[in-house]
Amino acid sequence: MNSLSEECTPLKQEYDACFNSWFSDKYLKGVTTDHCGPLFQKYQECVKKAIKDKAIDLEQLEKRILGTANEKQIPES
Amino acid sequence: MFSQCTKMKYYSCLSVFKHQWDQVTSAVWQKYPNPYSKHVVSEDVIHRSLLPDGKRLYSQRLLTKTNRMPRWGNVVFGANAHLVSVIEESVVDPIKKTLTTYTRNLGYTTFMVVEEKCVYKQSSENSSWTELQRHVWVDSSLLGFARAIQKFGVERYKSNSVKSSKGIQYVINKMFVPEQVSNDIPQKVEQLTKKAKAAQDLARQGKRDHAVQ
């Protein structure tokens, strides 16, 4: 799958591979530390720049809704 | 997989995957691309960290999708309004075995906001199956929007119909009430007439000079 910007795609793919294997083999089995940090950092630098270049509102993007009072409430049946 | 869904502005739908929660959750991370996701153009994780409890994983994923709208949507938003950004937040709880996602669109929110909460958890019927409960809220000022379009249309029509009547009146006057015409000619038309006459004179001048040569 492509990243927002073509130049970030290889960084994304490298990070995703690291994350996916850690997630299934380690995290779900209780190991919370991972070694994907450096890859993630490189990938993030690239993506954050792409977000800026495409004028996507980063503030809106990073807003947390899940787990807050701003979540839509499930109506009582 | 099977589903049961309700209808309305709030909509909820239960599906069951006949696979273990671990596998389904891993698949959700690796969802793109797939044959059903041709409309998803890009995917990026833009945040990931453990929550303060040190166990649950919080992530944010940015997707861009093609914005398939009826043709009148293009009329309103312009022909290049073809991509929309969507943000997905998620929390994985590896102890309770739940994955919760909350997705909303970032662009076109004045037109429509779609928020979707998905909860993936072990099926209560069969622990080697996974239930997905989807909740969707579609908030649209579509009604207000339709009213705005209507209002715009009516106002523009009114303005055009006034111009139309004035135009007819002008021509009637020109044909049957010539003395009325000078009172009715707007300044612009007078200027245009003057310009046209000057251009005509210039053209005649040019012809004469040419003839002399």
Side-chain angles (χ1 to χ4, degrees):
Chain A
M1 189 70 227
N2 291 331
S3 168
L4 191 61
S5 138
E6 246 182 77
E7 65 178 50
C8 303
T9 299
L11 298 171
K12 164 192 151 63
Q13 287 172 344
E14 256 195 281
Y15 166 70
D16 281 351
C18 182
F19 170 76
N20 288 327
S21 96
W22 169 77
F23 184 81
S24 313
D25 303 338
K26 300 272 167 67
Y27 176 72
L28 291 181
K29 300 188 165 117
V31 178
T32 51
T33 51
D34 72 271
H35 304 288
C36 304
L39 288 176
F40 189 59
Q41 204 156 336
K42 267 170 77 180
Y43 167 44
Q44 288 301 285
E45 275 169 25
C46 187
V47 144
K48 295 279 155 79
K49 181 176 179 294
I51 287 170
K52 237 176 146 184
D53 292 345
K54 303 225 169 190
I56 294 173
D57 189 345
L58 193 59
E59 209 191 304
Q60 268 307 302
L61 196 58
E62 292 180 332
K63 203 164 136 184
R64 292 199 187 191
I65 309 262
L66 179 58
T68 72
N70 291 321
E71 254 194 68
K72 286 282 190 293
Q73 292 308 307
I74 294 159
E76 278 159 51
S77 39
Chain B
M1 193 195 80
F2 55 90
S3 308
Q4 286 169 277
C5 310
T6 65
K7 293 181 185 179
M8 289 183 335
K9 210 169 143 183
Y10 163 76
Y11 167 92
S12 88
C13 192
L14 175 69
S15 307
V16 177
F17 297 97
K18 295 182 179 177
H19 284 89
Q20 290 189 346
W21 180 84
D22 286 27
Q23 293 174 323
V24 173
T25 307
S26 300
V28 169
W29 291 124
Q30 301 181 57
K31 191 175 170 191
Y32 303 112
N34 70 70
Y36 303 95
S37 75
K38 297 253 152 68
H39 60 290
V40 179
V41 166
S42 77
E43 171 205 30
D44 285 290
V45 172
I46 61 153
H47 180 96
R48 182 166 273 146
S49 61
L50 286 174
L51 287 175
D53 61 18
K55 298 266 185 330
R56 291 177 302 156
L57 187 68
Y58 175 76
S59 311
Q60 284 174 333
R61 204 162 43 159
L62 169 66
L63 304 170
T64 56
K65 301 188 180 184
T66 56
N67 187 24
R68 298 146 300 159
M69 275 196 289
R71 228 178 265 169
W72 54 259
N74 286 333
V75 170
V76 176
F77 293 106
N80 292 325
H82 57 280
L83 286 179
V84 61
S85 297
V86 166
I87 183 79
E88 173 204 83
E89 292 173 79
S90 61
V91 172
V92 181
D93 188 329
I95 318 240
K96 288 189 178 162
K97 290 202 188 287
T98 61
L99 162 63
T100 306
T101 69
Y102 196 90
T103 306
R104 67 192 198 279
N105 56 300
L106 290 175
Y108 308 101
T109 50
T110 45
F111 175 62
M112 182 161 65
V113 176
V114 180
E115 284 164 276
E116 179 197 57
K117 182 172 183 173
C118 293
V119 183
Y120 299 78
K121 58 179 205 203
Q122 260 183 345
S123 164
S124 38
E125 282 183 48
N126 185 333
S127 59
S128 48
W129 289 2
T130 306
E131 275 179 8
L132 162 58
Q133 181 75 54
R134 281 186 205 272
H135 308 273
V136 178
W137 294 266
V138 179
D139 208 346
S140 173
S141 37
L142 204 52
L143 190 59
F145 199 78
R147 280 207 214 109
I149 291 177
Q150 202 180 39
K151 186 164 188 256
F152 162 69
V154 167
E155 292 306 313
R156 187 170 61 174
Y157 172 74
K158 276 191 198 170
S159 155
N160 283 348
S161 62
V162 164
K163 285 185 201 165
S164 168
S165 299
K166 279 191 172 167
I168 292 171
Q169 188 62 61
Y170 173 78
V171 171
I172 289 170
N173 289 346
K174 207 166 134 200
M175 288 164 71
F176 305 113
V177 196
E179 60 270 22
Q180 194 74 32
V181 175
S182 56
N183 292 337
D184 287 342
I185 295 178
Q187 273 209 335
K188 249 190 203 171
V189 176
E190 195 165 3
Q191 279 167 16
L192 280 171
T193 315
K194 280 193 181 148
K195 274 190 184 165
K197 197 167 180 304
Q200 227 176 8
D201 291 341
L202 212 62
R204 275 194 214 116
Q205 183 93 28
K207 272 193 185 150
R208 229 179 292 146
D209 291 346
H210 193 81
V212 167
Q213 277 161 15

